[in-house]
Amino acid sequence: MFLRPIKKYFLSFQSRNVSAKAIVFSNHGNPSQVLQLHNYNIETSPSKPILVKFLASPINPSDINQIEGVYPEKPYFTKDLGTDLPCSVAGNEGVVEIIENLNKNSEFKPGRRAIMKNPGFGTWRTHATANSNDLLFLDIDGISVIQAATLSVNPCTAYCLLKNFYKLKAGDYFIQNGANSHVGQAVIQLGRIWGLNSINIVRNRSNIDKLKTYLYDLGATEVITEVELGDKEFMKELIKKRCGESGISLGLNCVGGKSVLDLARYIKENGHIVTYGAMSKQPLLMSSGLLIFKNVHLHGFWVTKYNKTYPEERLKILNNIITYMKNKSFKDLLCDKVYLDKSMEDLTYMETFKNALENKEKKQVLVFN
Amino acid sequence: MFLRPIKKYFLSFQSRNVSAKAIVFSNHGNPSQVLQLHNYNIETSPSKPILVKFLASPINPSDINQIEGVYPEKPYFTKDLGTDLPCSVAGNEGVVEIIENLNKNSEFKPGRRAIMKNPGFGTWRTHATANSNDLLFLDIDGISVIQAATLSVNPCTAYCLLKNFYKLKAGDYFIQNGANSHVGQAVIQLGRIWGLNSINIVRNRSNIDKLKTYLYDLGATEVITEVELGDKEFMKELIKKRCGESGISLGLNCVGGKSVLDLARYIKENGHIVTYGAMSKQPLLMSSGLLIFKNVHLHGFWVTKYNKTYPEERLKILNNIITYMKNKSFKDLLCDKVYLDKSMEDLTYMETFKNALENKEKKQVLVFN
């Protein structure tokens, strides 16, 4: 009785009905098996007055975990998109362009870009309708689409890892494993920008020299393999040469298992180790002696919770990172762009997507054309 | 040129030369193999004007680790006791009675009792000379010799574990493994005194009911076995029944290995786990998810370092514990008294001592007669 006249009123301002594609799931499980392509039409409404077109969205490990059902933030299943079964659109991070805004007085005009304000919106899709609470408008016009699409999870995590647990001064050292992850790469760059030195651990591989060169170019002080980390003599020399008496007060861990125990040996008295991932899928191993006698502290970091708890701080962090990107001190992170063209046949579309899903070599970013 | 007249002056105040026995070691290794009995004579001197007789000294796990050479505080080897090789007297905790004090103006008169001010003095011996910096005089006349001998390590650790990491309010729950250790028993009692509730984990054993009864008598709220801890359904019921929504914010770990991972599951968001021992001799296992998504923090505690860093706080803590002992709210902890009689032949003396060393069933306290 109430909605209809308002809708009519808004529609008189030229609402658009667009055909959209989304990668959805109705059940938890192996992403390759449970994810499906859904075609549907959407149009703006008074409660969702903004029509957005997705430009790009990364495939993050946490997105995969969420589909598998092992992530603490659970997706919301609904029939809103016209599916037979309640479903959820996968993906949590992305950059959009505004196509239409029924609210003509809003400052969020067609043509402007925005990122997702919160996770859980569903970002692996071509279009969506939204309201202004779904979007975060930042001054992102000077940064690339890929940088904008991957801004809020990994660089923001990296920023907090270096800032929130130990007050490092210029010249100080930190150590991190999984240094070639997107967070790891962002950590190296922020470290360089802030005058910090980094010891970076990566797994050995056939093209290790290429990876080392890449990380040194980003600003790594040292890049070593997990095998070298496990070699006490090698590490003794390295620490002596690099940090001497001052030691290492901060360790960052996204691997778990034995890697963090090997890393922990080189954390000095009263130091801190922060875990933000578990790439090895192994429980973390730790030495009781390091906790007791060296007073090393272990923490975890979850950017989703941080962003919810400190939205103002998050905004400052994002703006700082954008500034670094604009002045070219923060470089693009290694990734594959996966072009999902709306004109593709459904089978080709899904095949292209699934190839990206299974490629663990590099960060995959979906680019919607 | 200078010392001799002073010594003479002091000697004129009746110095005594006594025959002493000490358990010493010259090399690190298996305590049963490297520890030896040394007989020697001592007398007071201007630099060590106080002659003390040891009343009792416990065998603590850290004493064993120190002899083995795996403890961070290294012993000081010297020929001061007249041994052929430089040696160190074992043991770090104990209670003494003053036999003589060359400094007649000192308030520390013969007949008074004292405990060791610092570890490293060497307490597994019948007599020693000391100066006032070696001793800590507390109002311990109203507590038993065993309580005084075991006051400064385990009850002090227990006190700090409950007070220094999380502000528990009356009615709150904490959880601990190794609950039948001396620290664990002290933790239960202090918890009861402060109105806290404890969930206590012990290893299963043939006489488990006897142990449970003992711990309930000390004030345990729940005593469960490691097997029960590993049973998720059992624990779910227990937590629901006991803590409900309020949950458990503090976990104490002296076992390590998988035990701490099992325990960690029941720590609530933003909670803390403190490690103060590693009885399983296994690296500690931890879930990355608990660190990341529940924001659980891991710390260690070492009473030796605490006492050095906060001597004033230590004194307050010891005095509070003594008050609890005097008003009978803190009961004697389970231990075996091992009588080492000076009149025993050397072989019998060492045999009695070595039997105590090898008895891991209960805390062993050497009593010097």
Side-chain angles (χ1 to χ4, degrees):
Chain A
M1 289 298 282
F2 182 65
L3 281 178
R4 191 179 295 266
I6 289 180
K7 194 171 182 188
K8 254 188 177 164
Y9 169 80
F10 274 110
L11 284 174
S12 70
F13 285 89
Q14 187 205 17
S15 173
R16 220 183 299 184
N17 178 316
V18 299
S19 72
K21 286 183 191 294
I23 309 285
V24 301
F25 61 112
S26 298
N27 295 298
H28 290 295
N30 180 333
S32 291
Q33 285 162 7
V34 298
L35 290 175
Q36 289 186 307
L37 182 61
H38 176 60
N39 287 291
Y40 58 110
N41 288 320
I42 47 167
E43 60 179 326
T44 47
S45 68
S47 67
K48 299 271 189 187
I50 307 173
L51 176 68
V52 300
K53 174 189 182 319
F54 274 89
L55 302 175
S57 304
I59 299 179
N60 283 322
S62 53
D63 302 329
I64 305 294
N65 295 152
Q66 194 172 43
I67 298 160
E68 291 167 337
V70 298
Y71 197 68
E73 290 271 290
K74 300 299 176 196
Y76 179 66
F77 294 105
T78 155
K79 285 187 176 178
D80 287 357
L81 301 189
T83 47
D84 293 337
L85 295 171
C87 80
S88 183
V89 180
N92 289 283
E93 194 183 17
V95 60
V96 300
E97 181 186 329
I98 297 173
I99 301 298
E100 177 182 54
N101 190 346
L102 292 190
N103 184 354
K104 301 297 180 199
N105 296 323
S106 164
E107 56 172 326
F108 308 131
K109 309 284 185 208
R112 285 207 61 183
R113 290 175 175 188
I115 65 169
M116 299 297 105
K117 195 168 198 171
N118 303 302
F121 184 84
T123 61
W124 297 353
R125 54 176 149 184
T126 58
H127 298 82
T129 54
N131 62 48
S132 56
N133 278 331
D134 295 321
L135 303 173
L136 190 61
F137 289 91
L138 299 164
D139 187 13
I140 54 175
D141 287 342
I143 69 172
S144 76
V145 164
I146 301 297
Q147 283 181 321
T150 58
L151 181 65
S152 68
V153 173
N154 293 331
C156 191
T157 298
Y159 198 107
C160 292
L161 290 174
L162 286 182
K163 286 284 191 191
N164 296 3
F165 296 89
Y166 191 86
K167 204 170 168 53
L168 293 163
K169 301 181 304 294
D172 281 354
Y173 274 79
F174 64 87
I175 188 167
Q176 66 165 337
N177 61 24
N180 56 324
S181 72
H182 256 214
V183 173
Q185 293 179 41
V187 159
I188 291 172
Q189 299 209 64
L190 291 173
R192 172 181 41 74
I193 292 167
W194 296 332
L196 306 174
N197 288 305
S198 56
I199 296 176
N200 299 281
I201 305 149
V202 293
R203 270 179 302 187
N204 206 358
R205 61 197 72 205
S206 56
N207 55 353
I208 182 75
D209 286 340
K210 196 176 157 199
L211 177 60
K212 282 193 175 188
T213 303
Y214 175 75
L215 297 180
Y216 282 124
D217 283 349
L218 286 184
T221 315
E222 285 279 358
V223 183
I224 60 172
T225 64
E226 290 209 327
V227 176
E228 286 167 330
L229 177 72
D231 179 341
K232 288 181 189 168
E233 279 309 306
F234 174 88
M235 285 304 291
K236 204 175 140 188
E237 279 301 304
L238 181 80
I239 300 288
K240 194 175 150 195
K241 177 180 129 201
R242 284 299 188 176
C243 334
E245 290 301 307
S246 61
I248 306 174
S249 300
L250 181 68
L252 308 177
N253 163 50
C254 67
V255 176
K258 187 173 166 287
S259 171
V260 60
L261 177 58
D262 284 346
L263 174 157
R265 288 200 187 93
Y266 307 102
I267 299 295
K268 71 171 184 179
E269 206 163 333
N270 307 323
H272 297 258
I273 298 176
V274 191
T275 292
Y276 67 94
M279 276 160 34
S280 73
K281 299 195 175 184
Q282 296 297 312
L284 185 152
L285 280 181
M286 187 45 52
S287 144
S288 305
L290 290 177
L291 291 170
I292 299 170
F293 302 125
K294 270 206 187 168
N295 195 33
V296 168
H297 302 265
L298 262 65
H299 317 272
F301 180 75
W302 188 21
V303 74
T304 300
K305 192 178 167 197
Y306 182 84
N307 289 343
K308 270 188 202 163
T309 317
Y310 307 103
E312 298 298 322
E313 282 302 310
R314 180 200 185 198
L315 220 52
K316 279 185 211 164
I317 290 170
L318 290 173
N319 282 322
N320 284 345
I321 296 167
I322 290 168
T323 304
Y324 301 144
M325 287 173 167
K326 285 187 181 175
N327 70 21
K328 309 294 179 203
S329 50
F330 194 99
K331 300 172 196 168
D332 271 25
L333 306 176
L334 263 189
C335 73
D336 283 339
K337 295 178 193 172
V338 181
Y339 294 98
L340 290 176
D341 206 308
K342 247 188 99 177
S343 65
M344 284 173 176
E345 275 185 28
D346 283 0
L347 274 178
T348 317
Y349 201 94
M350 270 313 269
E351 198 181 14
T352 309
F353 167 74
K354 283 189 177 172
N355 284 341
L357 200 62
E358 277 150 30
N359 189 336
K360 311 282 184 203
E361 274 283 293
K362 244 188 264 181
K363 168 72 72 186
Q364 305 288 303
V365 183
L366 310 174
V367 179
F368 301 96
N369 286 327
Chain B
M1 290 298 281
F2 183 66
L3 282 177
R4 192 179 293 267
I6 289 179
K7 195 173 183 187
K8 254 190 181 165
Y9 170 81
F10 275 109
L11 285 173
S12 69
F13 286 89
Q14 187 204 17
S15 173
R16 218 183 300 183
N17 178 314
V18 297
S19 74
K21 287 182 190 294
I23 309 286
V24 301
F25 61 112
S26 299
N27 295 298
H28 291 295
N30 181 332
S32 290
Q33 286 163 8
V34 298
L35 290 175
Q36 289 186 306
L37 183 61
H38 176 59
N39 288 290
Y40 59 111
N41 287 321
I42 46 168
E43 60 179 326
T44 47
S45 66
S47 66
K48 299 271 189 187
I50 308 173
L51 176 67
V52 300
K53 174 189 182 320
F54 273 89
L55 302 176
S57 304
I59 298 179
N60 283 323
S62 52
D63 302 329
I64 304 295
N65 295 152
Q66 194 172 44
I67 297 159
E68 291 168 337
V70 298
Y71 198 68
E73 291 270 290
K74 300 298 176 198
Y76 179 65
F77 293 106
T78 154
K79 286 185 176 180
D80 287 356
L81 301 187
T83 47
D84 293 338
L85 294 171
C87 80
S88 183
V89 180
N92 289 283
E93 195 183 16
V95 61
V96 299
E97 182 186 327
I98 297 173
I99 301 299
E100 178 184 54
N101 190 344
L102 291 189
N103 183 355
K104 300 298 181 198
N105 296 323
S106 162
E107 55 173 327
F108 309 132
K109 310 283 184 207
R112 285 206 64 182
R113 290 176 175 186
I115 66 169
M116 299 298 105
K117 194 167 195 171
N118 303 303
F121 184 84
T123 60
W124 297 355
R125 53 175 150 184
T126 58
H127 298 81
T129 54
N131 61 48
S132 56
N133 278 332
D134 295 322
L135 304 172
L136 189 62
F137 289 90
L138 299 163
D139 187 13
I140 55 174
D141 287 343
I143 69 172
S144 75
V145 165
I146 300 297
Q147 283 181 321
T150 58
L151 181 65
S152 68
V153 174
N154 293 330
C156 190
T157 298
Y159 198 107
C160 292
L161 290 175
L162 286 181
K163 286 284 190 193
N164 296 4
F165 296 90
Y166 191 86
K167 206 172 165 51
L168 294 162
K169 301 181 305 294
D172 281 353
Y173 273 78
F174 64 87
I175 187 166
Q176 68 164 337
N177 61 23
N180 56 325
S181 73
H182 256 214
V183 173
Q185 292 179 41
V187 159
I188 292 171
Q189 298 209 65
L190 291 173
R192 172 181 41 74
I193 292 166
W194 296 332
L196 307 174
N197 288 305
S198 56
I199 296 176
N200 300 280
I201 306 149
V202 293
R203 270 179 301 187
N204 206 358
R205 61 197 73 204
S206 56
N207 55 354
I208 183 77
D209 285 340
K210 196 176 156 199
L211 177 61
K212 283 193 175 188
T213 303
Y214 174 75
L215 296 180
Y216 282 124
D217 283 350
L218 285 184
T221 314
E222 284 279 359
V223 184
I224 60 171
T225 64
E226 290 209 328
V227 177
E228 286 167 331
L229 177 72
D231 178 340
K232 288 183 187 167
E233 280 308 306
F234 174 89
M235 285 303 292
K236 201 174 143 188
E237 278 301 306
L238 180 80
I239 300 287
K240 193 174 151 195
K241 177 181 129 202
R242 284 297 187 178
C243 333
E245 290 302 308
S246 62
I248 306 173
S249 300
L250 181 68
L252 308 177
N253 163 50
C254 66
V255 177
K258 186 173 167 287
S259 172
V260 61
L261 177 59
D262 284 347
L263 174 157
R265 287 199 187 95
Y266 307 103
I267 299 297
K268 71 171 184 179
E269 205 164 333
N270 307 322
H272 296 258
I273 299 176
V274 191
T275 292
Y276 67 94
M279 276 160 35
S280 73
K281 298 195 175 182
Q282 296 296 313
L284 187 152
L285 280 181
M286 187 47 50
S287 144
S288 305
L290 290 176
L291 291 170
I292 299 171
F293 302 125
K294 269 204 186 170
N295 195 33
V296 168
H297 301 266
L298 262 65
H299 315 273
F301 181 74
W302 188 21
V303 74
T304 300
K305 192 178 168 197
Y306 182 84
N307 290 343
K308 270 188 203 164
T309 317
Y310 307 103
E312 298 297 322
E313 282 300 311
R314 179 200 185 197
L315 219 53
K316 279 186 210 162
I317 290 170
L318 290 172
N319 282 323
N320 282 346
I321 297 167
I322 290 168
T323 304
Y324 301 144
M325 287 173 168
K326 284 186 180 176
N327 70 21
K328 309 292 180 205
S329 49
F330 194 100
K331 299 170 195 168
D332 272 23
L333 305 176
L334 266 188
C335 75
D336 282 340
K337 295 178 194 171
V338 181
Y339 295 97
L340 291 177
D341 206 310
K342 246 188 98 178
S343 65
M344 283 172 176
E345 277 184 25
D346 283 359
L347 274 177
T348 318
Y349 201 95
M350 271 312 272
E351 198 180 14
T352 309
F353 167 75
K354 284 191 178 171
N355 284 342
L357 199 63
E358 277 150 28
N359 189 337
K360 312 280 183 203
E361 273 283 294
K362 243 188 264 181
K363 168 71 72 185
Q364 305 288 302
V365 183
L366 310 174
V367 179
F368 301 96
N369 286 326

